PDB file of all heavy atoms in Angstrom:
ATOM      1  N   ARG A   1     115.787 104.530  93.728  1.00 97.00           N
ATOM      2  CA  ARG A   1     117.205 104.223  94.047  1.00 97.00           C
ATOM      3  C   ARG A   1     117.781 105.464  94.808  1.00 97.00           C
ATOM      4  O   ARG A   1     117.653 106.580  94.438  1.00 97.00           O
ATOM      5  CB  ARG A   1     118.006 103.986  92.822  1.00 97.00           C
ATOM      6  CG  ARG A   1     119.457 103.517  93.131  1.00 97.00           C
ATOM      7  CD  ARG A   1     120.178 102.921  91.847  1.00 97.00           C
ATOM      8  NE  ARG A   1     119.855 101.490  91.774  1.00 97.00           N
ATOM      9  CZ  ARG A   1     118.972 100.909  90.895  1.00 97.00           C
ATOM     10  NH1 ARG A   1     118.476 101.719  89.961  1.00 97.00           N
ATOM     11  NH2 ARG A   1     118.815  99.704  90.827  1.00 97.00           N
ATOM     12  N   ALA A   2     118.570 105.060  95.904  1.00 95.00           N
ATOM     13  CA  ALA A   2     119.213 106.104  96.675  1.00 95.00           C
ATOM     14  C   ALA A   2     120.706 106.085  96.282  1.00 95.00           C
ATOM     15  O   ALA A   2     121.399 105.212  96.651  1.00 95.00           O
ATOM     16  CB  ALA A   2     119.062 105.817  98.173  1.00 95.00           C
ATOM     17  N   TRP A   3     121.139 107.075  95.615  1.00 94.00           N
ATOM     18  CA  TRP A   3     122.548 107.160  95.152  1.00 94.00           C
ATOM     19  C   TRP A   3     123.495 107.557  96.264  1.00 94.00           C
ATOM     20  O   TRP A   3     124.715 107.330  96.075  1.00 94.00           O
ATOM     21  CB  TRP A   3     122.631 108.198  93.903  1.00 94.00           C
ATOM     22  CG  TRP A   3     121.875 107.639  92.770  1.00 94.00           C
ATOM     23  CD1 TRP A   3     120.746 108.131  92.181  1.00 94.00           C
ATOM     24  CD2 TRP A   3     122.230 106.582  91.862  1.00 94.00           C
ATOM     25  NE1 TRP A   3     120.372 107.443  91.050  1.00 94.00           N
ATOM     26  CE2 TRP A   3     121.292 106.449  90.841  1.00 94.00           C
ATOM     27  CE3 TRP A   3     123.347 105.613  91.910  1.00 94.00           C
ATOM     28  CZ2 TRP A   3     121.329 105.497  89.901  1.00 94.00           C
ATOM     29  CZ3 TRP A   3     123.419 104.658  90.834  1.00 94.00           C
ATOM     30  CH2 TRP A   3     122.378 104.530  89.917  1.00 94.00           C
ATOM     31  N   ASP A   4     122.974 108.145  97.319  1.00 90.00           N
ATOM     32  CA  ASP A   4     123.853 108.583  98.359  1.00 90.00           C
ATOM     33  C   ASP A   4     124.447 107.273  99.072  1.00 90.00           C
ATOM     34  O   ASP A   4     125.539 107.307  99.659  1.00 90.00           O
ATOM     35  CB  ASP A   4     123.153 109.452  99.338  1.00 90.00           C
ATOM     36  CG  ASP A   4     121.949 108.840 100.018  1.00 90.00           C
ATOM     37  OD1 ASP A   4     121.096 108.486  99.234  1.00 90.00           O
ATOM     38  OD2 ASP A   4     121.958 108.727 101.254  1.00 90.00           O
ATOM     39  N   ARG A   5     123.632 106.252  99.142  1.00 90.00           N
ATOM     40  CA  ARG A   5     124.078 105.004  99.701  1.00 90.00           C
ATOM     41  C   ARG A   5     123.398 103.825  99.040  1.00 90.00           C
ATOM     42  O   ARG A   5     122.327 103.402  99.444  1.00 90.00           O
ATOM     43  CB  ARG A   5     123.860 104.895 101.206  1.00 90.00           C
ATOM     44  CG  ARG A   5     124.590 103.718 101.874  1.00 90.00           C
ATOM     45  CD  ARG A   5     124.687 103.881 103.343  1.00 90.00           C
ATOM     46  NE  ARG A   5     123.403 103.767 104.143  1.00 90.00           N
ATOM     47  CZ  ARG A   5     122.901 102.550 104.456  1.00 90.00           C
ATOM     48  NH1 ARG A   5     123.426 101.401 104.139  1.00 90.00           N
ATOM     49  NH2 ARG A   5     121.690 102.526 105.105  1.00 90.00           N
ATOM     50  N   ILE A   6     123.985 103.405  97.913  1.00 93.00           N
ATOM     51  CA  ILE A   6     123.272 102.454  97.043  1.00 93.00           C
ATOM     52  C   ILE A   6     122.902 101.199  97.721  1.00 93.00           C
ATOM     53  O   ILE A   6     121.987 100.447  97.266  1.00 93.00           O
ATOM     54  CB  ILE A   6     124.101 102.208  95.763  1.00 93.00           C
ATOM     55  CG1 ILE A   6     123.231 101.721  94.648  1.00 93.00           C
ATOM     56  CG2 ILE A   6     125.271 101.335  96.027  1.00 93.00           C
ATOM     57  CD1 ILE A   6     123.859 101.703  93.234  1.00 93.00           C
ATOM     58  N   GLN A   7     123.591 100.858  98.824  1.00 91.00           N
ATOM     59  CA  GLN A   7     123.291  99.570  99.520  1.00 91.00           C
ATOM     60  C   GLN A   7     121.789  99.558 100.038  1.00 91.00           C
ATOM     61  O   GLN A   7     121.238  98.502 100.313  1.00 91.00           O
ATOM     62  CB  GLN A   7     124.255  99.402 100.712  1.00 91.00           C
ATOM     63  CG  GLN A   7     125.590  99.040 100.291  1.00 91.00           C
ATOM     64  CD  GLN A   7     126.446 100.238  99.875  1.00 91.00           C
ATOM     65  OE1 GLN A   7     125.978 101.337  99.959  1.00 91.00           O
ATOM     66  NE2 GLN A   7     127.733  99.953  99.573  1.00 91.00           N
ATOM     67  N   LYS A   8     121.169 100.733 100.143  1.00 92.00           N
ATOM     68  CA  LYS A   8     119.772 100.839 100.495  1.00 92.00           C
ATOM     69  C   LYS A   8     118.935 100.342  99.365  1.00 92.00           C
ATOM     70  O   LYS A   8     117.752  99.993  99.625  1.00 92.00           O
ATOM     71  CB  LYS A   8     119.345 102.249 100.876  1.00 92.00           C
ATOM     72  CG  LYS A   8     119.963 102.743 102.194  1.00 92.00           C
ATOM     73  CD  LYS A   8     119.244 104.030 102.675  1.00 92.00           C
ATOM     74  CE  LYS A   8     119.448 105.223 101.674  1.00 92.00           C
ATOM     75  NZ  LYS A   8     118.965 106.531 102.191  1.00 92.00           N
ATOM     76  N   SER A   9     119.480 100.346  98.192  1.00 96.00           N
ATOM     77  CA  SER A   9     118.702 100.180  96.999  1.00 96.00           C
ATOM     78  C   SER A   9     118.919  98.825  96.301  1.00 96.00           C
ATOM     79  O   SER A   9     119.081  98.754  95.005  1.00 96.00           O
ATOM     80  CB  SER A   9     118.815 101.321  95.960  1.00 96.00           C
ATOM     81  OG  SER A   9     118.459 102.481  96.616  1.00 96.00           O
ATOM     82  N   HIS A  10     119.026  97.736  97.061  1.00 96.00           N
ATOM     83  CA  HIS A  10     119.083  96.355  96.469  1.00 96.00           C
ATOM     84  C   HIS A  10     117.943  96.276  95.445  1.00 96.00           C
ATOM     85  O   HIS A  10     116.860  96.748  95.694  1.00 96.00           O
ATOM     86  CB  HIS A  10     118.949  95.402  97.610  1.00 96.00           C
ATOM     87  CG  HIS A  10     119.147  93.928  97.175  1.00 96.00           C
ATOM     88  ND1 HIS A  10     118.259  93.309  96.368  1.00 96.00           N
ATOM     89  CD2 HIS A  10     120.063  93.039  97.462  1.00 96.00           C
ATOM     90  CE1 HIS A  10     118.614  92.046  96.255  1.00 96.00           C
ATOM     91  NE2 HIS A  10     119.691  91.827  96.915  1.00 96.00           N
ATOM     92  N   PRO A  11     118.128  95.574  94.335  1.00 97.00           N
ATOM     93  CA  PRO A  11     117.126  95.492  93.386  1.00 97.00           C
ATOM     94  C   PRO A  11     115.823  94.904  93.942  1.00 97.00           C
ATOM     95  O   PRO A  11     114.691  95.311  93.537  1.00 97.00           O
ATOM     96  CB  PRO A  11     117.704  94.552  92.265  1.00 97.00           C
ATOM     97  CG  PRO A  11     119.175  94.799  92.320  1.00 97.00           C
ATOM     98  CD  PRO A  11     119.434  95.140  93.885  1.00 97.00           C
ATOM     99  N   ASP A  12     115.861  94.005  94.876  1.00 98.00           N
ATOM    100  CA  ASP A  12     114.715  93.466  95.542  1.00 98.00           C
ATOM    101  C   ASP A  12     113.988  94.555  96.345  1.00 98.00           C
ATOM    102  O   ASP A  12     112.721  94.542  96.381  1.00 98.00           O
ATOM    103  CB  ASP A  12     115.057  92.341  96.519  1.00 98.00           C
ATOM    104  CG  ASP A  12     115.328  91.051  95.760  1.00 98.00           C
ATOM    105  OD1 ASP A  12     115.227  90.923  94.441  1.00 98.00           O
ATOM    106  OD2 ASP A  12     115.857  90.076  96.414  1.00 98.00           O
ATOM    107  N   HIS A  13     114.757  95.433  96.864  1.00 98.00           N
ATOM    108  CA  HIS A  13     114.076  96.588  97.679  1.00 98.00           C
ATOM    109  C   HIS A  13     113.280  97.467  96.732  1.00 98.00           C
ATOM    110  O   HIS A  13     112.091  97.838  96.999  1.00 98.00           O
ATOM    111  CB  HIS A  13     115.127  97.479  98.342  1.00 98.00           C
ATOM    112  CG  HIS A  13     115.966  96.797  99.389  1.00 98.00           C
ATOM    113  ND1 HIS A  13     116.990  97.421 100.025  1.00 98.00           N
ATOM    114  CD2 HIS A  13     115.952  95.441  99.819  1.00 98.00           C
ATOM    115  CE1 HIS A  13     117.534  96.590 100.955  1.00 98.00           C
ATOM    116  NE2 HIS A  13     116.979  95.391 100.744  1.00 98.00           N
ATOM    117  N   LEU A  14     113.829  97.812  95.571  1.00 98.00           N
ATOM    118  CA  LEU A  14     113.153  98.577  94.591  1.00 98.00           C
ATOM    119  C   LEU A  14     111.919  97.925  94.068  1.00 98.00           C
ATOM    120  O   LEU A  14     110.838  98.497  93.822  1.00 98.00           O
ATOM    121  CB  LEU A  14     114.112  98.958  93.447  1.00 98.00           C
ATOM    122  CG  LEU A  14     115.370  99.666  93.816  1.00 98.00           C
ATOM    123  CD1 LEU A  14     116.277  99.887  92.612  1.00 98.00           C
ATOM    124  CD2 LEU A  14     115.087 100.906  94.610  1.00 98.00           C
ATOM    125  N   ALA A  15     112.062  96.587  93.826  1.00 98.00           N
ATOM    126  CA  ALA A  15     110.904  95.786  93.362  1.00 98.00           C
ATOM    127  C   ALA A  15     109.823  95.742  94.337  1.00 98.00           C
ATOM    128  O   ALA A  15     108.617  95.819  94.053  1.00 98.00           O
ATOM    129  CB  ALA A  15     111.362  94.351  92.893  1.00 98.00           C
ATOM    130  N   CYS A  16     110.183  95.537  95.617  1.00 98.00           N
ATOM    131  CA  CYS A  16     109.122  95.538  96.681  1.00 98.00           C
ATOM    132  C   CYS A  16     108.466  96.839  96.695  1.00 98.00           C
ATOM    133  O   CYS A  16     107.168  96.888  96.676  1.00 98.00           O
ATOM    134  CB  CYS A  16     109.929  95.395  98.015  1.00 98.00           C
ATOM    135  SG  CYS A  16     108.865  95.604  99.566  1.00 98.00           S
ATOM    136  N   GLY A  17     109.161  97.984  96.586  1.00 98.00           N
ATOM    137  CA  GLY A  17     108.515  99.249  96.581  1.00 98.00           C
ATOM    138  C   GLY A  17     107.554  99.515  95.390  1.00 98.00           C
ATOM    139  O   GLY A  17     106.473 100.051  95.479  1.00 98.00           O
ATOM    140  N   GLU A  18     107.918  99.126  94.228  1.00 98.00           N
ATOM    141  CA  GLU A  18     107.259  99.228  93.053  1.00 98.00           C
ATOM    142  C   GLU A  18     105.991  98.375  93.101  1.00 98.00           C
ATOM    143  O   GLU A  18     104.949  98.823  92.699  1.00 98.00           O
ATOM    144  CB  GLU A  18     108.161  98.953  91.792  1.00 98.00           C
ATOM    145  CG  GLU A  18     107.406  99.110  90.471  1.00 98.00           C
ATOM    146  CD  GLU A  18     106.964 100.567  90.238  1.00 98.00           C
ATOM    147  OE1 GLU A  18     107.582 101.431  90.744  1.00 98.00           O
ATOM    148  OE2 GLU A  18     105.922 100.818  89.548  1.00 98.00           O
ATOM    149  N   ALA A  19     106.154  97.158  93.505  1.00 98.00           N
ATOM    150  CA  ALA A  19     104.976  96.260  93.608  1.00 98.00           C
ATOM    151  C   ALA A  19     103.953  96.786  94.533  1.00 98.00           C
ATOM    152  O   ALA A  19     102.669  96.817  94.260  1.00 98.00           O
ATOM    153  CB  ALA A  19     105.409  94.780  94.001  1.00 98.00           C
ATOM    154  N   VAL A  20     104.319  97.323  95.679  1.00 99.00           N
ATOM    155  CA  VAL A  20     103.459  97.726  96.714  1.00 99.00           C
ATOM    156  C   VAL A  20     102.754  99.022  96.189  1.00 99.00           C
ATOM    157  O   VAL A  20     101.541  99.227  96.324  1.00 99.00           O
ATOM    158  CB  VAL A  20     104.177  98.057  98.080  1.00 99.00           C
ATOM    159  CG1 VAL A  20     103.250  98.806  99.039  1.00 99.00           C
ATOM    160  CG2 VAL A  20     104.601  96.745  98.632  1.00 99.00           C
ATOM    161  N   THR A  21     103.542  99.944  95.567  1.00 98.00           N
ATOM    162  CA  THR A  21     102.967 101.126  95.015  1.00 98.00           C
ATOM    163  C   THR A  21     101.860 100.814  93.945  1.00 98.00           C
ATOM    164  O   THR A  21     100.721 101.486  93.950  1.00 98.00           O
ATOM    165  CB  THR A  21     104.037 102.048  94.340  1.00 98.00           C
ATOM    166  OG1 THR A  21     105.018 102.324  95.385  1.00 98.00           O
ATOM    167  CG2 THR A  21     103.484 103.303  93.872  1.00 98.00           C
ATOM    168  N   ARG A  22     102.196  99.884  93.061  1.00 98.00           N
ATOM    169  CA  ARG A  22     101.152  99.578  92.063  1.00 98.00           C
ATOM    170  C   ARG A  22      99.924  98.962  92.706  1.00 98.00           C
ATOM    171  O   ARG A  22      98.798  99.098  92.218  1.00 98.00           O
ATOM    172  CB  ARG A  22     101.787  98.544  91.112  1.00 98.00           C
ATOM    173  CG  ARG A  22     102.879  99.094  90.257  1.00 98.00           C
ATOM    174  CD  ARG A  22     103.354  98.059  89.181  1.00 98.00           C
ATOM    175  NE  ARG A  22     104.577  98.451  88.539  1.00 98.00           N
ATOM    176  CZ  ARG A  22     105.097  97.720  87.518  1.00 98.00           C
ATOM    177  NH1 ARG A  22     104.568  96.670  87.124  1.00 98.00           N
ATOM    178  NH2 ARG A  22     106.299  98.112  87.003  1.00 98.00           N
ATOM    179  N   ALA A  23     100.140  98.215  93.788  1.00 98.00           N
ATOM    180  CA  ALA A  23      99.076  97.529  94.443  1.00 98.00           C
ATOM    181  C   ALA A  23      98.128  98.560  95.165  1.00 98.00           C
ATOM    182  O   ALA A  23      96.905  98.496  95.109  1.00 98.00           O
ATOM    183  CB  ALA A  23      99.511  96.537  95.460  1.00 98.00           C
ATOM    184  N   VAL A  24      98.850  99.516  95.804  1.00 98.00           N
ATOM    185  CA  VAL A  24      98.091 100.591  96.606  1.00 98.00           C
ATOM    186  C   VAL A  24      97.179 101.459  95.643  1.00 98.00           C
ATOM    187  O   VAL A  24      96.086 101.696  95.908  1.00 98.00           O
ATOM    188  CB  VAL A  24      99.025 101.376  97.475  1.00 98.00           C
ATOM    189  CG1 VAL A  24      98.394 102.653  97.962  1.00 98.00           C
ATOM    190  CG2 VAL A  24      99.647 100.566  98.630  1.00 98.00           C
ATOM    191  N   TYR A  25      97.873 101.869  94.500  1.00 97.00           N
ATOM    192  CA  TYR A  25      97.076 102.618  93.644  1.00 97.00           C
ATOM    193  C   TYR A  25      97.541 102.255  92.149  1.00 97.00           C
ATOM    194  O   TYR A  25      98.735 102.329  91.907  1.00 97.00           O
ATOM    195  CB  TYR A  25      97.327 104.169  93.848  1.00 97.00           C
ATOM    196  CG  TYR A  25      96.472 104.957  92.846  1.00 97.00           C
ATOM    197  CD1 TYR A  25      95.090 105.097  93.043  1.00 97.00           C
ATOM    198  CD2 TYR A  25      96.991 105.442  91.623  1.00 97.00           C
ATOM    199  CE1 TYR A  25      94.326 105.789  92.119  1.00 97.00           C
ATOM    200  CE2 TYR A  25      96.194 106.043  90.718  1.00 97.00           C
ATOM    201  CZ  TYR A  25      94.870 106.182  90.983  1.00 97.00           C
ATOM    202  OH  TYR A  25      94.059 106.871  90.076  1.00 97.00           O
ATOM    203  N   PRO A  26      96.644 101.729  91.382  1.00 97.00           N
ATOM    204  CA  PRO A  26      95.198 101.849  91.633  1.00 97.00           C
ATOM    205  C   PRO A  26      94.590 100.463  92.017  1.00 97.00           C
ATOM    206  O   PRO A  26      93.345 100.428  92.271  1.00 97.00           O
ATOM    207  CB  PRO A  26      94.551 102.312  90.337  1.00 97.00           C
ATOM    208  CG  PRO A  26      95.476 101.647  89.298  1.00 97.00           C
ATOM    209  CD  PRO A  26      96.831 101.656  89.957  1.00 97.00           C
ATOM    210  N   ALA A  27      95.303  99.496  91.948  1.00 98.00           N
ATOM    211  CA  ALA A  27      94.692  98.111  91.911  1.00 98.00           C
ATOM    212  C   ALA A  27      93.842  97.768  93.199  1.00 98.00           C
ATOM    213  O   ALA A  27      92.727  97.232  93.035  1.00 98.00           O
ATOM    214  CB  ALA A  27      95.824  97.010  91.772  1.00 98.00           C
ATOM    215  N   ALA A  28      94.306  98.084  94.423  1.00 98.00           N
ATOM    216  CA  ALA A  28      93.581  97.662  95.572  1.00 98.00           C
ATOM    217  C   ALA A  28      92.247  98.376  95.622  1.00 98.00           C
ATOM    218  O   ALA A  28      91.315  97.751  96.092  1.00 98.00           O
ATOM    219  CB  ALA A  28      94.393  98.063  96.792  1.00 98.00           C
ATOM    220  N   GLU A  29      92.129  99.584  95.126  1.00 97.00           N
ATOM    221  CA  GLU A  29      90.883 100.355  95.246  1.00 97.00           C
ATOM    222  C   GLU A  29      90.049 100.150  93.985  1.00 97.00           C
ATOM    223  O   GLU A  29      88.981 100.825  93.945  1.00 97.00           O
ATOM    224  CB  GLU A  29      91.181 101.725  95.536  1.00 97.00           C
ATOM    225  CG  GLU A  29      91.934 102.558  94.548  1.00 97.00           C
ATOM    226  CD  GLU A  29      92.198 104.017  95.028  1.00 97.00           C
ATOM    227  OE1 GLU A  29      92.942 104.150  96.017  1.00 97.00           O
ATOM    228  OE2 GLU A  29      91.695 104.925  94.345  1.00 97.00           O
ATOM    229  N   ASN A  30      90.481  99.545  93.014  1.00 97.00           N
ATOM    230  CA  ASN A  30      89.723  99.362  91.708  1.00 97.00           C
ATOM    231  C   ASN A  30      88.965  98.058  91.759  1.00 97.00           C
ATOM    232  O   ASN A  30      89.539  97.018  91.740  1.00 97.00           O
ATOM    233  CB  ASN A  30      90.657  99.388  90.592  1.00 97.00           C
ATOM    234  CG  ASN A  30      90.013  99.275  89.234  1.00 97.00           C
ATOM    235  OD1 ASN A  30      88.779  99.054  89.177  1.00 97.00           O
ATOM    236  ND2 ASN A  30      90.685  99.448  88.128  1.00 97.00           N
ATOM    237  N   PRO A  31      87.628  98.193  91.896  1.00 95.00           N
ATOM    238  CA  PRO A  31      86.877  96.872  91.993  1.00 95.00           C
ATOM    239  C   PRO A  31      86.905  95.993  90.706  1.00 95.00           C
ATOM    240  O   PRO A  31      86.583  94.860  90.758  1.00 95.00           O
ATOM    241  CB  PRO A  31      85.385  97.317  92.184  1.00 95.00           C
ATOM    242  CG  PRO A  31      85.431  98.676  91.623  1.00 95.00           C
ATOM    243  CD  PRO A  31      86.749  99.281  91.866  1.00 95.00           C
ATOM    244  N   TYR A  32      87.493  96.535  89.690  1.00 96.00           N
ATOM    245  CA  TYR A  32      87.532  95.716  88.388  1.00 96.00           C
ATOM    246  C   TYR A  32      88.955  95.229  88.162  1.00 96.00           C
ATOM    247  O   TYR A  32      89.230  94.536  87.196  1.00 96.00           O
ATOM    248  CB  TYR A  32      87.156  96.641  87.188  1.00 96.00           C
ATOM    249  CG  TYR A  32      85.813  97.196  87.417  1.00 96.00           C
ATOM    250  CD1 TYR A  32      85.651  98.601  87.587  1.00 96.00           C
ATOM    251  CD2 TYR A  32      84.642  96.509  87.608  1.00 96.00           C
ATOM    252  CE1 TYR A  32      84.433  99.183  87.855  1.00 96.00           C
ATOM    253  CE2 TYR A  32      83.386  96.983  87.726  1.00 96.00           C
ATOM    254  CZ  TYR A  32      83.254  98.299  87.945  1.00 96.00           C
ATOM    255  OH  TYR A  32      81.995  98.902  88.195  1.00 96.00           O
ATOM    256  N   ALA A  33      89.892  95.507  89.098  1.00 97.00           N
ATOM    257  CA  ALA A  33      91.297  94.939  89.055  1.00 97.00           C
ATOM    258  C   ALA A  33      91.136  93.607  89.887  1.00 97.00           C
ATOM    259  O   ALA A  33      90.647  93.548  90.993  1.00 97.00           O
ATOM    260  CB  ALA A  33      92.213  95.856  89.664  1.00 97.00           C
TER     261      ALA A  33
END
């Protein structure tokens, strides 16, 4: 979340970032995920 301008941090924006981060590491590179 960006507290300097919270409009950048719509809950969907944060969820997008979290989902992508979890996917990039470790799931995408883990052959057992």
Side-chain angles (χ1 to χ4, degrees):
R1 183 167 276 109
W3 292 109
D4 60 302
R5 190 163 71 84
I6 200 168
Q7 289 81 1
K8 292 194 292 186
S9 303
H10 185 293
D12 285 350
H13 297 181
L14 304 179
C16 170
E18 183 63 29
V20 172
T21 302
R22 294 185 192 185
V24 166
Y25 183 80
E29 64 182 64
N30 182 353
Y32 307 113

